[in-house]
Amino acid sequence: MPVLKNIGYLATCKDKGEQDDIHTIGQAAIAWEGDTIKWVGEEASIPDQYVRGKIYDANGKMVIPGLVDCHTHLAFGGWRPDEFEMRVRGESYLDIAQAGGGILSTVKATREATENELFEKASGFLEEIAKQGVTAVECKSGYGLSLKHELKTLRVYKRLEEESPLHIAPTFLGAHTIPPEYKENREAYIELLIDEMIPAVAESELADFCDIFTEESAFNIEESRKILLAAKVAGLIPKLHADQLTSCGGAELAAEVEAASADHLEKVSEQGIKDMAKAGVVGVTLPLASLYTQEEPLNCRKLVDGGVDVAVATDFNPGSAPTYDLPLAMMLTCNQGRLTPAEALKGATVYAAKAIKRNHKIGSIEPGKSADFAVIDAPDPNFWMYHYKGANCVTSYVSGQKIA
Ligand code: NIG
Ligand code: FE
């Protein structure tokens, strides 16, 4: 049975207590068998039966659960660096989208890409992502916007799940925006989503979740409700891009349809916070998207104080968040979202696992869970977030295997 010993500071991130309660142990050790954690505790009290296998040394550093990036748009064709310059010069994300750029320009490039090209590109991203100590990634489709191209993207995620050591949670985002061929007939695309695409995706078993971009400029509340209820009937779990650019009742709808999470939330209303807390919907903050779109940063404090579990993710995509640096997103959640480093850590581990309904398996270091952890070159979360220096993950383990 392998053991990781000499852990100076272990944050187990058990899903108990408040957001800042990360359940730490000093001078700790972890023992696992195969892909499953068997024992966690103070090194001095490790039972003999657990010290017979390979011994790894954490050299007194901090160990955390493998980080979970619970919101990415990982597979896409092309890039949009020109839009970055336009936004820096003062054009808004919405103006660029309305002029035919934005999501639709990535739709064009993604439709033109082969399944293999998308796989190779996304697989390269995953290798880099793993170096940060991330061990699970949620991946959305949404740049195909036809059954054929959405299934193509979802098959890429299936192959990543099979070939990469990381855990992958796939999400269907056919309701990302109205595709160009339905520009004059949005009702017909919504019908297509409900009558054909959602049932076919559910049947293919290539996605666990159905996400939607709920926004007056994409799908309004009534349309979103219809689509998400159809997804639920088909067996897909709802998720929402909610209240990002305008306050339009996205958080309230997330609670109504019992979504796993409502993400973005820069413009969430007081009522939305109350409804999410009551329904147990995880709030996913995406500070890199707020930063790149020059939106007001999210005040996460209000959500946490209102009783919502707040997860932190990158939103990695070629438009609003073209970076997959999850520790940077955590640092911004502290500096701009006003969560403490411990709260941000719980948000990027067990609450992120909750946002993808995998918290029974991943997100915390406890017996019975997947042996996923990262050794970080910092003495504790405060120092890590304060003296931020990008990738300082020394090694990580996924399903009991050392990967980086
Ligand atoms: O999460 N808000 C909508 N969707 C993405 C952006 C996608 C894009 O710009 O390509 C987001 O920010
Ligand atoms: Fe997103």
Side-chain angles (χ1 to χ4, degrees):
M1 213 174 285
V3 175
L4 178 62
K5 63 167 192 103
N6 196 12
I7 301 170
Y9 178 106
L10 177 69
T12 65
C13 297
K14 268 197 292 202
D15 186 11
K16 287 222 172 78
E18 303 293 321
Q19 177 123 10
D20 65 355
D21 201 345
I22 53 170
H23 303 272
T24 60
I25 307 174
Q27 267 314 310
I30 308 169
W32 65 97
E33 184 167 40
D35 61 1
T36 308
I37 297 171
K38 291 288 170 194
W39 184 90
V40 186
E42 282 173 19
E43 192 177 330
S45 55
I46 188 165
D48 280 351
Q49 71 202 86
Y50 294 128
V51 266
R52 298 204 184 114
K54 187 161 173 62
I55 298 194
Y56 298 96
D57 193 329
N59 294 311
K61 297 192 191 305
M62 168 167 78
V63 172
I64 59 171
L67 296 172
V68 178
D69 193 344
C70 66
H71 183 139
T72 81
H73 305 248
L74 192 77
F76 54 84
W79 288 98
R80 286 146 48 196
D82 46 334
E83 292 181 9
F84 175 68
E85 184 187 331
M86 286 157 86
R87 284 199 308 273
V88 170
R89 286 186 185 278
E91 282 188 57
S92 78
Y93 180 75
L94 256 182
D95 291 344
I96 295 169
Q98 273 153 5
I103 295 172
L104 287 182
S105 94
T106 300
V107 169
K108 186 167 181 291
T110 305
R111 286 177 174 181
E112 282 165 5
T114 64
E115 193 168 323
N116 218 32
E117 284 164 353
L118 290 178
F119 174 82
E120 291 300 333
K121 186 169 170 184
S123 169
F125 295 149
L126 265 195
E127 272 175 40
E128 293 300 312
I129 288 169
K131 290 181 189 159
Q132 309 173 124
V134 173
T135 55
V137 181
E138 186 263 6
C139 301
K140 301 176 198 298
S141 65
Y143 292 121
L145 307 188
S146 68
L147 184 58
K148 176 176 154 202
H149 292 289
E150 287 292 304
L151 288 176
K152 175 177 79 176
T153 311
L154 291 171
R155 281 194 301 271
V156 167
Y157 297 146
K158 174 88 189 162
R159 203 172 143 200
L160 287 173
E161 191 183 329
E162 289 164 358
E163 296 185 23
S164 142
L166 271 57
H167 307 289
I168 303 289
T171 297
F172 171 59
L173 178 57
H176 200 182
T177 191
I178 301 285
E181 59 279 16
Y182 285 91
K183 198 172 163 208
E184 307 304 330
N185 192 4
R186 54 186 297 118
E187 290 75 25
Y189 185 63
I190 294 167
E191 243 168 64
L192 181 76
L193 275 168
I194 293 176
D195 297 339
E196 289 181 35
M197 293 170 76
I198 288 174
V201 167
E203 170 85 4
S204 74
E205 296 188 354
L206 289 170
D208 297 348
F209 302 95
C210 178
D211 200 343
I212 188 161
F213 187 16
T214 298
E215 192 67 53
E216 283 308 325
S217 57
F219 297 90
N220 67 30
I221 288 289
E222 290 72 41
E223 293 166 343
S224 300
R225 180 181 289 112
K226 260 172 66 179
I227 293 165
L228 292 175
L229 290 177
K232 261 183 108 164
V233 168
L236 298 170
I237 303 165
K239 270 182 168 287
L240 287 87
H241 282 67
D243 302 323
Q244 178 188 11
L245 307 167
T246 55
S247 182
C248 64
E252 291 85 334
L253 180 64
E256 183 190 319
V257 301
E258 297 169 308
S261 70
D263 305 32
H264 281 293
L265 300 170
E266 283 92 336
K267 305 280 171 19
V268 66
S269 70
E270 297 293 332
Q271 189 59 45
I273 296 178
K274 279 193 194 130
D275 292 358
M276 282 175 64
K278 194 156 170 235
V281 177
V282 177
V284 180
T285 185
L286 305 167
L288 294 163
S290 326
L291 184 74
Y292 273 94
T293 55
Q294 336 233 315
E295 289 283 319
E296 282 276 289
L298 174 57
N299 182 357
C300 303
R301 204 56 279 142
K302 275 202 313 206
L303 282 151
V304 172
D305 293 346
V308 176
D309 292 344
V310 172
V312 185
T314 61
D315 195 16
F316 175 54
N317 74 71
S320 65
T323 171
Y324 40 63
D325 192 332
L326 184 55
L328 176 61
M330 292 166 66
M331 188 269 261
L332 292 170
T333 301
C334 301
N335 273 317
Q336 305 203 305
R338 303 200 168 276
L339 296 197
T340 65
E343 288 172 323
L345 178 59
K346 202 157 177 177
T349 54
V350 76
Y351 288 169
K354 227 179 199 181
I356 52 171
K357 300 263 183 207
R358 298 279 206 284
N359 51 315
H360 57 288
K361 199 68 196 126
I362 62 172
S364 62
I365 300 176
E366 294 175 84
K369 286 216 177 175
S370 182
D372 304 341
F373 18 86
V375 181
I376 303 290
D377 187 16
D380 56 42
N382 279 353
F383 199 85
W384 183 24
M385 292 291 109
Y386 147 77
H387 179 44
Y388 180 78
K389 54 175 182 175
N392 53 353
C393 168
V394 183
T395 33
S396 65
Y397 299 77
V398 188
S399 305
Q401 300 294 323
K402 190 167 169 175
I403 58 156

